[in-house]
Amino acid sequence: YQRRVHGGCLQSGEWVIQNAANSGVGLAVVELTNHFQIPAIHVVRRPEAAEAVRAAGGVNVVVWDGGEETLASKVKPLLGTGAIGLALDGVGGDAGSQLTRCLSRGGTMLAYGGMSRQPLAVSSGQLIFKDLHLHGFHMGRWEKIATAQQQETMWSTLLEMAAAGKFAVPLEDDYKLADGALAVVRAFEAKRKGKVVLTF
């Protein structure tokens, strides 16, 4: 949202691409790109994750598991003559590096997470010849530099969307407080379908 409204890094008609599209942030990006009518490509690692993104309204969903086929080769048929101006990376490592290869000349990569715990590698050639821009985003830092008007505009828009039923997060399971230890274990397990919730 910040990059679309205040960042000015997307030109009219340009696409957004994101990885970890089935995460909480990723599903919010699905809602926001639909709301602002921004064409978007949503990348996940598993077919069942793709179904969750489609159920949330994602149209162009790509399953890429890090195999021999590059992400760019899977994305190209969806783009047609379009260009990707913004990449949102919540994973880092090779998954993030693959996003940079999908960006058009002058595109921007925004890193907001590092779930892979691996460093992001970008070739010098991409920076020099494609003039890519790499940025990090942390909400707490943005809140310190944003104007009161920017923050009011953002929160009023997001609250209106939430009141209209947007940003619904799928739940994996809910646990009683007495079963908190089990909830913690489940929360750290892979291949969940949603959030784990403690019920008080």
Side-chain angles (χ1 to χ4, degrees):
Y1 175 89
Q2 300 304 335
R3 286 286 151 174
R4 170 64 178 84
V5 177
H6 302 306
C9 65
L10 267 181
Q11 303 300 315
S12 178
E14 284 188 327
W15 291 54
V16 171
I17 188 170
Q18 66 157 333
N19 56 24
N22 59 312
S23 68
V25 172
L27 294 175
V29 170
V30 172
E31 298 274 17
L32 287 166
T33 52
N34 287 345
H35 178 78
F36 288 111
Q37 298 182 325
I38 302 170
I41 295 174
H42 311 288
V43 183
V44 296
R45 295 183 65 88
R46 298 173 286 112
E48 57 268 32
E51 291 307 312
V53 175
R54 291 189 182 99
V59 176
N60 301 297
V61 184
V62 171
V63 177
W64 181 78
D65 61 2
E68 293 184 4
E69 187 176 7
T70 66
L71 178 60
S73 67
K74 301 198 75 169
V75 165
K76 189 175 181 179
L78 298 174
L79 274 177
T81 59
I84 296 176
L86 176 63
L88 304 174
D89 175 33
V91 181
D94 187 49
S97 300
Q98 291 283 329
L99 286 184
T100 65
R101 297 186 181 101
C102 298
L103 284 167
S104 62
R105 187 180 303 277
T108 297
M109 164 80 122
L110 189 69
Y112 68 87
M115 287 188 285
S116 71
R117 299 184 180 180
Q118 298 297 317
L120 174 66
V122 181
S123 72
S124 298
Q126 286 182 290
L127 295 175
I128 295 168
F129 299 109
K130 291 182 69 178
D131 190 27
L132 300 185
H133 306 273
L134 306 179
H135 297 276
F137 180 80
H138 187 273
M139 189 64 188
R141 188 179 72 239
W142 178 84
E143 288 178 333
K144 292 179 180 179
I145 62 174
T147 66
Q149 182 60 54
Q150 286 175 326
Q151 295 196 43
E152 182 181 351
T153 299
M154 181 194 75
W155 287 116
S156 62
T157 300
L158 297 182
L159 288 171
E160 285 177 9
M161 292 178 65
K166 306 298 183 183
F167 308 125
V169 178
L171 298 180
E172 173 73 18
D173 206 347
D174 57 67
Y175 292 81
K176 300 294 184 183
L177 187 58
D179 297 321
L182 293 175
V184 171
V185 171
R186 185 69 184 111
F188 280 92
E189 290 178 351
K191 299 183 179 180
R192 288 185 288 104
K193 296 180 181 178
K195 298 293 185 181
V196 175
V197 175
L198 275 178
T199 302
F200 293 87

